[in-house]
């Protein structure tokens, strides 16, 4: 019994040492080890894969989020998108153009967020714009369909 | 080359306009027919009085000259706002303003 505990302690001490060395060598940045840029999510070519890569596959539809975007976008290169929510304690917001070549457009980590975020995205074709909001540790989502007459994603 | 930006902050609202081509790497140049290499802003941060209120990861699906506007609870006149950005080529930009 004693011996097992001692072995475990030695082992964890050794791995802690390795991590400290990695941080010292600049291989790991302590403050941004996870959040730097989610290349898996941003490189995903299907909305479902992008959502999975940001851990948002299980987001529940919510009426407390409104995605505002034009019904028809004549220029898919500039589609104004607003995310308005009454959810308290918002921690992050993701915005996706679901049929874009790379659906994930932006992922924001937020503090002191006051319910409104607006940006402009490109859309390749008629599709849903999806917002995923993490609030109070839970995931919520809403969409708005935008009809695109001239796509703005190249190809 | 530094990423050029403009920022305004008032009435609880921060508005940021960056000057950037935002190329996703898929668009073909009309003349040459060649794909234009990916060139887009990957990361942005906004801090109010030293506290990060927005830490954004962005993709090539942002429109050219990325624009953001968002509301920050508790922001008041005189607060210092600092915005930073970095693109996929390592170019960086930063700008600061005071909430009016």
């Amino acid at each position: 019994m004693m011996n097992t505990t001692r072995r475990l302690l030695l082992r964890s001490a050794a791995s802690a040492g390795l991590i400290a060395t990695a941080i010292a060598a600049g291989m790991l940045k302590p403050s941004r080890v996870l959040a730097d840029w989610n290349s898996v999510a941003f490189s995903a070519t299907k909305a479902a894969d992008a959502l999975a890569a940001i851990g948002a596959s299980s987001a529940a539809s919510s009426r407390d989020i409104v995605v505002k975007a034009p019904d028809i976008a004549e220029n898919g290169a500039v589609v104004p998108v607003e995310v308005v929510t009454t959810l308290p304690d918002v921690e992050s917001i993701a915005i996706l153009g679901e049929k874009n070549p790379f659906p994930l457009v932006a992922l924001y980590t937020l503090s002191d967020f006051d319910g409104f975020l607006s940006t402009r995205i490109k859309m390749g074709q008629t599709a849903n714009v999806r917002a995923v909001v993490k609030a109070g540790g839970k995931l919520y989502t809403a969409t708005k369909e935008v009809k695109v007459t001239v796509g703005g994603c190249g190809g | 080359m530094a990423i050029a930006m403009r920022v305004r902050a008032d009435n609880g609202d921060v508005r940021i306009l960056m000057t950037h081509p935002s190329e996703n790497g898929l668009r073909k140049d009309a003349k040459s027919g060649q794909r234009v290499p990916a060139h887009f802003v990957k990361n942005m941060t906004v801090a109010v009085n030293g506290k990060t209120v927005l830490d954004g990861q962005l993709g090539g699906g942002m429109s050219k000259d990325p624009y953001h506007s968002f509301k920050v609870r508790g922001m008041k006149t005189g607060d210092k706002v600092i915005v930073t950005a970095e693109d996929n080529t390592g170019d960086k930009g930063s700008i600061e303003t005071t909430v009016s």
Side-chain angles (χ1 to χ4, degrees), chain B residues 76-88:
Chain B
K76 56 191 183 302
T77 303
D79 286 353
K80 191 169 162 189
V81 177
I82 300 180
V83 183
T84 70
E86 181 169 357
D87 75 12
N88 66 319

Side-chain angles (χ1 to χ4, degrees), chain B residues 10-66:
Chain B
D10 54 34
N11 300 320
D13 199 29
V14 180
R15 298 188 294 286
I16 303 146
L17 182 65
M18 302 177 189
T19 303
H20 203 279
S22 197
E23 293 286 356
N24 64 3
L26 301 176
R27 191 177 69 86
K28 284 180 181 162
D29 183 83
K31 282 182 188 163
S32 67
Q34 299 290 308
R35 285 193 195 280
V36 179
H39 188 197
F40 58 91
V41 177
K42 277 178 90 168
N43 291 95
M44 67 179 289
T45 64
V46 181
V48 177
N49 289 344
K51 180 184 181 186
T52 302
V53 294
L54 182 148
D55 186 342
Q57 304 175 46
L58 309 176
M62 276 277 131
S63 295
K64 181 180 189 292
D65 297 338

Side-chain angles (χ1 to χ4, degrees), chain A residues 32 34-38 42 77-79 89 100-102 104-122 153-155, chain B residues 13 17 22-24 26-28 35 40 42-45 51-65 67-73:
Chain A
R32 309 197 60 174
L34 295 171
D36 221 10
W37 197 71
N38 191 332
F42 280 101
V78 184
V79 181
D89 304 321
N100 279 8
F102 302 117
L104 183 62
V105 176
L107 175 59
Y108 308 95
T109 303
L110 301 158
S111 292
D112 298 334
F113 182 69
D114 204 14
F116 172 91
L117 178 118
S118 162
T119 187
R120 301 192 292 229
I121 71 170
K122 290 186 271 197
C153 281
Chain B
D13 199 29
L17 182 65
S22 197
E23 293 286 356
N24 64 3
L26 301 176
R27 191 177 69 86
K28 284 180 181 162
R35 285 193 195 280
F40 58 91
K42 277 178 90 168
N43 291 95
M44 67 179 289
T45 64
K51 180 184 181 186
T52 302
V53 294
L54 182 148
D55 186 342
Q57 304 175 46
L58 309 176
M62 276 277 131
S63 295
K64 181 180 189 292
D65 297 338
Y67 171 81
H68 286 92
S69 164
F70 66 104
K71 289 193 180 298
V72 181
R73 188 178 302 118

Side-chain angles (χ1 to χ4, degrees), chain A residues 64-99:
Chain A
D64 296 328
I65 306 166
V66 177
V67 180
K68 291 185 185 174
D71 294 329
I72 298 174
E74 291 188 0
N75 179 6
V78 184
V79 181
V81 173
E82 286 180 18
V83 180
V84 182
T85 180
T86 53
L87 292 166
D89 304 321
V90 172
E91 296 157 40
S92 72
I93 294 178
I95 297 174
L96 297 90
E98 290 210 313
K99 290 187 182 168

